[in-house]
Amino acid sequence: MNFADINASWADIRAEIVAAIRSGHVGPDYVEILDIPKSSVAVRPIARLSVQDRLVYDTLVFSIAGLIEPQLRDSVYSARWSNKGRGFWSPVNSWVSMQKRGVKLMDKAPFQLARTDVVSFYEHIDVNTLGIDIESVGANRHIVERLITYLRMFQTSSHAWGIPQGPDASAILANLYLLPVDEFIHRSNMHYLRYSDDMMLFDTERETLRNTLLEINSILRSRRLSMSSTKTDIYDHDRSLSQLEDLEKDAINYGIRVGEFGAGERLYKLFTEAVEGPQRDRDVKFSLFRMGRLKDDRAIPWVISNLKDSHHLASQLLHYMECFPERYTTVGRAYVSTMRLVAGHKYDSLEQRVLQAATRQEIRSTDIRDLAWAILHNKNKSNLPREFAARYLGRVSTVADGQLLRREFENESNVNVRRALLVAMYEAKSVSRPLLKSLATSDSRLSWVSRYLLKDPLIPLPR
């Protein structure tokens, strides 16, 4: 939806962004911080910037990306720019490539492995120190001033600090911030791999690895960062290999690709082992993605029973169930039971994902409709579930719903929810063209989407 309405007004939007950057009036007035589940109990604070603020930020950072990229060594795999200038390497492929390189290193010598990362890395990046780093790579002074102004406004316009989590642009700045660590390890003549703040060091001597970790910790402290005590460890050679390689998954992948007899059963066995005892989330995601493509529905009962407890995997669980349109009724009932189960509790991200999936699958359910109204009315919830509640209601609306959506629009103060309600009213055929024309010519942040809706588009379903 963002891509569609930006496209409809791109000339005006581009002019506004260029004017903001030239004038120096950059920085978000308001940032919504989304607590995205990282595990069943922990969350990751993702910054949700307005489209204009995001484009300003990306423009500023990408203008200096060409200065940062040559400073990075081959040992760094995150936020790397294609030599052909076509954009970032695929994050998943980059991570896999790093793991494979680690395995090759372990095959060459009886190395031990040290792993560590940084506590809340993005949140603890010091903006003043980062400004000095940006200047040191030869960035234009005006760009540095605007970027630091932007980051300071980001910190004062929300309860977040550091740099925004979520945008690819932040990954570029994160690489720059860790250059002193990269350089120290390079001078130590030690094999080293890094993806963002996830670092792997290889040496035959445990004491050498320990001494290096202590030095890294000292460098991190000088940059206002802390090494994670729970994720820092040294593994002997055998345990190091188990940290890096997964021959069973490689074999399953190959078997599926060539149509090997029994590959599907090996995949299902991996899934059952991953959910028995301490749950192995990576193996669950690996298995469900491939079981969905193979149309193996044997995991559906587990998925339905564990949507709430494994809500941090909701995206993967829901996409798996979408692979079976013939189970439409069962899936719809699962959505209803899950939403009832979490009602009144803090599962905003799960509710958003379920409503998103129900909208995408066009599941028409009076129960989901009633639950969506309850979510929309609850202004104590974060905005995303309320926005997707509006989108769902717009898709399945009755005549009465359309008029009620108009009433909600008039009484809603949050611009993101108002935008979702405007789209819902359009889909419910209850929005007037005079209203859209009035908004399209206003200074409102709804002007872009109003111009888009005036073109009578077919609204894209949420991905």
Side-chain angles (χ1 to χ4, degrees):
M1 183 68 199
N2 274 340
F3 289 120
D5 62 13
I6 290 172
N7 224 18
S9 304
W10 176 241
D12 292 336
I13 293 169
R14 184 183 186 279
E16 290 177 24
I17 292 164
V18 170
I21 293 172
R22 283 179 175 164
S23 68
H25 295 304
V26 296
D29 295 324
Y30 169 75
V31 178
E32 183 181 2
I33 301 299
L34 305 175
D35 287 331
I36 303 301
K38 188 176 180 180
S39 69
S40 59
V41 292
V43 297
R44 177 182 286 108
I46 298 297
R48 187 189 188 196
L49 303 167
S50 73
V51 174
Q52 181 164 342
D53 289 335
R54 172 68 180 268
L55 288 171
V56 168
Y57 181 53
D58 284 353
T59 301
L60 291 170
V61 176
F62 278 98
S63 71
I64 62 172
L67 299 173
I68 297 172
E69 174 64 25
Q71 310 300 320
L72 303 177
R73 300 189 180 278
D74 291 342
S75 55
V76 178
Y77 280 77
S78 56
R80 298 305 299 262
W81 193 254
S82 165
N83 291 331
K84 297 179 180 179
R86 296 178 181 173
F88 276 122
W89 296 353
S90 161
V92 173
N93 290 344
S94 297
W95 174 263
V96 172
S97 296
M98 183 180 74
Q99 298 288 100
K100 287 183 177 179
R101 184 171 170 189
V103 171
K104 287 181 180 178
L105 286 172
M106 298 298 295
D107 287 341
K108 288 182 179 179
F111 285 130
Q112 298 185 56
L113 167 68
R115 294 195 75 163
T116 189
D117 70 7
V118 178
V119 176
S120 302
F121 176 36
Y122 281 26
E123 295 172 82
H124 288 106
I125 288 177
D126 181 70
V127 172
N128 293 329
T129 304
L130 179 62
I132 296 170
D133 293 342
I134 296 171
E135 287 183 347
S136 71
V137 296
N140 179 286
R141 178 173 58 84
H142 296 292
I143 295 294
V144 178
E145 290 173 355
R146 284 158 174 73
L147 187 49
I148 296 307
T149 296
Y150 186 102
L151 292 173
R152 285 176 178 153
M153 285 191 68
F154 164 73
Q155 293 181 341
T156 57
S157 61
S158 70
H159 59 270
W161 59 94
I163 64 176
Q165 290 199 58
D168 288 336
S170 289
I172 294 174
L173 298 180
N175 272 343
L176 173 62
Y177 203 75
L178 288 179
L179 277 181
V181 175
D182 298 342
E183 186 61 24
F184 163 71
I185 300 175
H186 174 72
R187 290 181 181 178
S188 301
N189 293 317
M190 180 177 290
H191 291 291
Y192 166 65
L193 301 172
R194 176 171 71 77
Y195 190 97
S196 189
D197 62 318
D198 189 345
M199 307 173 210
M200 297 190 288
L201 300 91
F202 304 82
D203 199 89
T204 55
E205 299 295 329
R206 180 182 180 87
E207 287 301 322
T208 302
L209 289 170
R210 179 178 176 275
N211 291 338
T212 305
L213 287 174
L214 292 174
E215 288 296 328
I216 292 173
N217 193 41
S218 179
I219 295 170
L220 292 174
R221 279 204 310 271
S222 72
R223 301 180 72 74
R224 308 294 188 268
L225 300 175
S226 300
M227 185 182 287
S228 171
S229 59
T230 59
K231 295 184 179 179
T232 301
D233 206 348
I234 298 175
Y235 305 89
D236 61 28
H237 183 73
D238 291 339
R239 290 175 65 214
S240 298
L241 285 171
S242 68
Q243 282 281 307
L244 289 167
E245 65 181 349
D246 203 324
L247 298 178
E248 175 62 11
K249 283 193 281 193
D250 286 345
I252 290 171
N253 256 340
Y254 177 77
I256 292 172
R257 191 164 60 248
V258 301
E260 176 187 324
F261 178 77
E265 289 305 314
R266 292 170 68 184
L267 178 64
Y268 180 63
K269 182 174 182 290
L270 177 70
F271 168 75
T272 57
E273 291 173 348
V275 298
E276 292 172 355
Q279 186 170 303
R280 305 195 305 266
D281 288 346
R282 285 186 181 175
D283 288 348
V284 171
K285 290 188 283 188
F286 174 92
S287 303
L288 290 182
F289 174 73
R290 288 155 183 81
M291 289 176 70
R293 294 177 67 179
L294 292 174
K295 299 297 182 182
D296 184 344
D297 64 358
R298 286 178 289 179
I300 285 182
W302 181 89
V303 169
I304 291 174
S305 300
N306 287 272
L307 261 176
K308 175 177 176 287
D309 291 340
S310 294
H311 63 101
H312 57 297
L313 303 178
S315 178
Q316 291 82 10
L317 303 188
L318 293 167
H319 274 101
Y320 168 73
M321 290 203 291
E322 287 179 51
C323 294
F324 308 96
E326 69 279 5
R327 305 290 291 271
Y328 176 97
T329 304
T330 300
V331 169
R333 284 200 299 262
Y335 292 171
V336 172
S337 61
T338 299
M339 290 178 70
R340 285 177 175 163
L341 196 61
V342 303
H345 302 287
K346 289 186 177 295
Y347 288 89
D348 288 11
S349 181
L350 176 58
E351 289 175 323
Q352 173 230 321
R353 294 285 188 183
V354 171
L355 287 165
Q356 190 174 351
T359 304
R360 191 164 53 234
Q361 294 172 270
E362 301 196 73
I363 294 178
R364 296 180 174 272
S365 162
T366 55
D367 291 321
I368 296 178
R369 179 171 159 269
D370 292 342
L371 290 161
W373 272 116
I375 289 170
L376 182 59
H377 287 146
N378 186 354
K379 295 191 177 183
N380 290 323
K381 283 193 174 294
S382 58
N383 293 327
L384 270 179
R386 297 184 65 225
E387 290 170 49
F388 278 98
R391 285 299 313 277
Y392 179 80
L393 291 167
R395 301 289 294 191
V396 303
S397 63
T398 64
V399 174
D401 284 331
Q403 299 305 316
L404 289 172
L405 287 169
R406 172 65 181 261
R407 181 171 175 272
E408 293 296 324
F409 175 81
E410 292 169 349
N411 294 329
E412 180 59 50
S413 59
N414 181 273
V415 68
N416 289 322
V417 181
R418 280 172 62 81
R419 178 176 175 272
L421 283 164
L422 193 64
V423 175
M425 289 158 55
Y426 171 84
E427 293 198 283
K429 297 180 173 57
S430 65
V431 66
S432 68
R433 292 190 74 81
L435 172 62
L436 292 177
K437 288 179 179 178
S438 173
L439 290 169
T441 56
S442 71
D443 293 330
S444 165
R445 281 174 57 190
L446 298 178
S447 60
W448 301 349
V449 70
S450 298
R451 292 173 209 164
Y452 168 64
L453 295 177
L454 282 168
K455 298 177 183 292
D456 297 319
L458 181 65
I459 304 296
L461 289 168
R463 297 179 183 174

